Amino acid sequence: MGDGGRQAHWENVYTRKGENEVSWFQQSPAPSLDLIVQAGATHDSAIIDIGGGASRLVDNLVEQGFEDVTVLDLSAAALAAASSRLGPGAQKVRWIVADATSWEPTRVYDIWHDRAAFHFLTDAGDRAAYIDRLRRGLRIGGHAIIATFSPDGPEKCSGLPVARYDSASLGQTLGPAFELVHTERHAHATPWESRQSFQFSVFRHVG
Ligand SMILES: C[S@@+](CC[C@H](N)C(=O)[O-])C[C@H]1O[C@@H](n2cnc3c(N)ncnc32)[C@H](O)[C@@H]1O
């Protein structure tokens, strides 16, 4: 799917559905928060949530005192929903409407977080473009936390095909610039109480 088709898909989802009417909704993004802290983030670390959508991760980060948080997503409607939920706290966050495969990072981040966005990139060219941004946008020594469906997870998300990974295949896809430091599995409970098998892997950018 090209950039335009992708964006239209996600705008449509976030315009039509409430936050807890989508399978990926989490009341508490606990696995991500724990891994961000384990990766050594401090309150002044630069953190970017790629494909953050309307996730509550940003609310939690702001509430916990993280001062340099950016959320990037294809969907302006998703970011508007998150920003209006935060109220005045939204001013502390940088919001970027962009496609992660064509966005040009203008600075580097200490933590790159992606839950369930990378796995939509089923085209090798799109994956290469994303990884190029990851290499340029994550400082050497910084950490990428990437959560995708596991090999035993669903084949589709939001009606779109996904690529499923374990830590080894994800590491192979990212390439030698990223060294695996941690991986864990997570069974996500959807709002309708079905289970989806995720893997969360943490990679250090070694250059
Ligand atoms: C399944 S949702 C997950 C949202 C959020 N990370 C969470 O955990 O709640 C996937 C998100 O990735 C975004 N997305 C998909 N492809 C993208 C791309 N190429 N660039 C930026 N965002 C993208 C979608 O708009 C959507 O918000």
Side-chain angles (χ1 to χ4, degrees):
M1 196 188 281
D3 285 18
R6 268 206 289 262
Q7 185 162 32
H9 172 87
W10 290 106
E11 279 300 10
N12 188 39
V13 167
Y14 285 108
T15 308
R16 286 167 182 245
K17 296 195 178 187
E19 81 167 336
N20 60 359
E21 292 174 324
V22 294
S23 58
W24 55 92
F25 172 70
Q26 289 177 301
Q27 189 71 40
S28 160
S32 298
L33 279 169
D34 290 349
L35 292 175
I36 288 170
V37 171
Q38 277 174 39
T42 58
H43 283 173
D44 58 357
S45 296
I47 302 174
I48 186 162
D49 190 14
I50 297 287
S55 160
R56 294 179 172 223
L57 180 61
V58 61
D59 312 43
N60 283 266
L61 291 170
V62 169
E63 200 178 290
Q64 292 186 16
F66 290 96
E67 289 160 1
D68 188 351
V69 180
T70 302
V71 185
L72 178 147
D73 200 276
L74 261 180
S75 165
L79 297 186
S83 153
S84 77
R85 197 180 56 230
L86 256 79
Q91 286 167 15
K92 298 182 186 157
V93 177
R94 295 177 179 87
W95 306 94
I96 301 176
V97 178
D99 189 312
T101 64
S102 54
W103 163 64
E104 296 300 333
T106 55
R107 59 180 295 203
V108 290
Y109 298 88
D110 301 302
I111 304 274
W112 175 292
H113 173 269
D114 176 329
R115 172 178 179 264
F118 180 73
H119 71 187
F120 288 105
L121 302 178
T122 53
D123 173 82
D126 282 341
R127 283 194 294 270
Y130 177 108
I131 294 163
D132 174 54
R133 271 78 193 165
L134 173 59
R135 292 187 70 156
R136 288 192 276 133
L138 183 63
R139 78 165 164 79
I140 303 290
H143 291 87
I145 300 165
I146 303 193
T148 66
F149 283 162
S150 299
D152 59 343
E155 291 178 1
K156 286 191 169 188
C157 179
S158 190
L160 301 176
V162 297
R164 299 174 294 175
Y165 298 92
D166 56 21
S167 60
S169 59
L170 183 57
Q172 229 165 20
T173 302
L174 296 181
F178 300 93
E179 184 181 274
L180 181 70
V181 292
H182 175 79
T183 191
E184 62 189 44
R185 288 172 60 90
H186 175 72
H188 167 61
T190 69
W192 37 94
E193 290 298 328
S194 62
R195 298 276 157 173
Q196 295 181 328
S197 190
F198 273 80
Q199 66 75 38
F200 283 71
S201 293
V202 183
F203 296 88
R204 187 172 25 247
H205 189 190
V206 292

